[in-house]
Every structure is written in structure tokens, then in C-alpha cells.
Amino acid sequence: MHVSVILPAKNEAEGLRRTLPALRTLLPDAEVIVVDDGSTDDTADIAASLGARVLSSPYSMGNGAAIKRGARAAIGEVLVFMDADGQHDPASIGSLLEKAGEGYDMVVGARDWAGQAGVHRGAANAFYNWLASRMTGFEVKDLTSGFRVVRAEKFREFLHLLPNGFSYPTTSTMAFFRSAYPVAYVPIPVAKRLGRSHIRLVRDGIRFLLIIFKVATLYSPLKLFVPVSGAFFATGLGYYLFTYFTQGRFTNMSLLLFSAAVIIFLVGLVSEQITALTYRRDD
């Protein structure tokens, strides 16, 4: 099958100088697309001079937006997404494609702890992996890896769900799990990136915190809302018993906690129905 390699790039001229020649050597027949996300350096010129098809944005729209533009423009039946900063070794593409040939619709390159960009990022990703594994019932080895192989037809089903920011790997992975498309993981080496990272600890830390809730609501909202509702109900019941035996009355606080439990549960039910409609396919 024809393969398209898509690299979102923002000021990644140095990384492209290392990555694109290796790609051409390993996959001479593949379509290589570099999505220039409003770079201010010579990213677009370098990519074009090295034989890549360049899609340029007049301003930065985000990593996810670049992925969506590349996926729409690609002609390959199989899409390979990888970073342009030199971290991902093109030699690993072969093992990902081989695994996809076993019948998987998405194959993700899984980093080990040494491949994480710092202790705080590694700890955060470990927590995301644990949460996603609990939500899906499958072992998720790397929820946020941007190095992956997907079936183009399947991936395009979920373009409308993907955010324009950095959490496209999370969203796409959970969407595949939710739609019963088989997902596999293959260990990959990760090199030190060339240039400066576009991730900001505080700003993107808050965004990644929101990913936790997105993971839950994308896959099965009731798995998030029911425990929260139960916690409010248990707290309300405990407070009611305390005030009943100490003061002989039912307080407004207990009523508020019980009401919150009911409201959260009902919101979870509505969210579950919306999620089911989101993933419905009319064939």
C-alpha cells in the first residue's frame, strides 16, 4: 500500500536536515509531507529543497491543526506521523508498518522512561497511560506519542474530533479504542530533539491536565461521572449521619451534597449519550 509520511513542523529546519534525507533513503517511494505551521525560519525552504511536499500556514495554528491538514492532503492509504525535530528515528517506521500489516488500524511508537523529556513529563505521561488503560480496559503504553502509523480511511473519520493543539495523539488513540479499531504499541528509541521545545510547563501543563478529563469523556463519560457522583453522595450521607446523631437534624449542606450527586450523575448520562452519537457511523 502507498505510504504518506506527515511531519508537522514549526521552526524545525535543523531537525528536517537530519530527518528528511533518512526518510528518502528508507522510503524512496513514500509521499513525504511537511506541514509548515507558520515557521519564522527556513523550515519550508529546507523541506522543499530536500524533496518534501510542503503545506504552509500563514500563521501558527497548532500541532493538531498541522496533522489535520496533512491527513486531508495525503494520498497514501497508510499515514505515518512523526516529529520533525529529529527525535524520531525513520528506521523505526519499518517495524511500525510491519505491525500494522498484522491487522492493526493504528500502531503507536511507545517511548520508554529514558525517552521522556524530563522527569515531570515522564511522570505525567505515566499517569495518562494508567488512566487511559483503566478507561479502555487495554494496556496503553504511550498515550501521547506523536510517532504512529494509521489507516488513512479510519483516521479521517475522527478529524473533526482532533484539537488544534498538542493533544491530537490522545484524542485519536481514544477514538480508535472507542470505535473498536485495533491498536498496537511497538517500542521505539527516541533521540534528543534539535532546537527548542514548543511545550511550556505551566501553560501546557494546564492543557495536559484537561487531557485527563478529555480521556474520560472521550471514551466512557460514566466511568468518570459515576465515581464523582458516588463521592458526593457518600460525603452527603456521612455528613447527614453526623448531624443527625449530634444535632438531630438534616442540614442544608447534606441536601446540597445529595443534589450535586444527582446532578453529576444525570450529566454523566447525557454525556454518555452524546458520546455514543459522536462515534455512530451511518454506513
Side-chain angles (χ1 to χ4, degrees):
M1 293 189 293
H2 195 273
V3 175
S4 293
V5 183
I6 300 170
L7 301 94
K10 181 180 179 182
N11 297 330
E12 301 289 4
E14 290 302 316
L16 290 173
R17 286 191 179 97
R18 181 167 75 180
T19 303
L20 291 181
L23 273 175
R24 280 300 176 200
T25 300
L26 293 167
L27 298 170
D29 298 324
E31 177 188 37
V32 178
I33 300 175
V34 173
V35 184
D36 175 23
D37 186 34
S39 298
T40 56
D41 65 359
D42 55 351
T43 290
D45 293 335
I46 293 296
S49 68
L50 293 173
R53 178 185 173 190
V54 180
L55 303 177
S56 293
S57 300
Y59 55 89
S60 178
M61 299 182 186
N63 180 264
I67 289 294
K68 288 189 280 189
R69 292 194 67 197
R72 292 189 187 104
I75 62 174
E77 299 165 273
V78 173
L79 307 180
V80 178
F81 298 113
M82 61 185 299
D83 292 346
D85 56 17
Q87 290 191 93
H88 296 153
D89 185 358
S92 300
I93 295 177
S95 59
L96 299 183
L97 291 173
E98 182 179 357
K99 192 68 175 179
E102 298 177 9
Y104 293 96
D105 291 320
M106 174 182 284
V107 179
V108 182
R111 302 160 293 181
D112 58 17
W113 185 267
Q116 302 293 335
V119 175
H120 62 284
R121 290 277 298 278
N125 286 334
F127 178 73
Y128 300 152
N129 296 340
W130 172 83
L131 175 64
S133 298
R134 290 293 299 270
M135 294 298 300
T136 62
F138 298 94
E139 183 181 9
V140 177
K141 297 181 179 180
D142 196 339
L143 184 65
T144 60
S145 172
F147 195 8
R148 56 190 58 212
V149 167
V150 300
R151 305 281 178 183
E153 181 183 6
K154 304 288 177 55
F155 187 79
R156 291 191 182 107
E157 292 179 20
F158 309 113
L159 287 184
H160 65 287
L161 294 177
L162 303 185
N164 287 342
F166 280 104
S167 62
Y168 104 84
T170 298
T171 307
S172 59
T173 299
M174 299 306 291
F176 269 62
F177 274 124
R178 183 66 172 78
S179 298
Y181 292 149
V183 178
Y185 290 86
V186 173
I188 59 167
V190 178
K192 184 177 180 180
R193 66 166 285 122
L194 298 177
R196 190 175 63 180
S197 174
H198 302 300
I199 301 290
R200 297 294 176 268
L201 179 60
V202 176
R203 182 196 65 187
D204 292 304
I206 295 174
R207 291 182 182 178
F208 286 136
L209 183 62
L210 294 176
I211 290 175
I212 296 174
F213 299 102
K214 177 176 286 188
V215 166
T217 55
L218 263 177
Y219 195 80
S220 181
L222 280 178
K223 289 187 177 182
L224 172 67
F225 286 97
V226 167
V228 175
S229 175
F232 271 90
F233 183 84
T235 303
L237 181 61
Y239 191 75
Y240 165 63
L241 293 175
F242 170 77
T243 56
Y244 178 78
F245 287 110
T246 58
Q247 304 175 32
R249 64 193 184 92
F250 179 76
T251 65
N252 290 337
M253 179 58 70
S254 296
L255 178 61
L256 179 63
L257 291 169
F258 284 136
S259 299
V262 173
I263 292 171
I264 292 172
F265 177 73
L266 294 177
V267 170
L269 283 179
V270 173
S271 299
E272 188 78 18
Q273 297 304 313
I274 293 173
T275 300
L277 292 173
T278 299
Y279 291 102
R280 187 185 67 182
R281 292 187 59 193
D282 296 318
D283 296 324

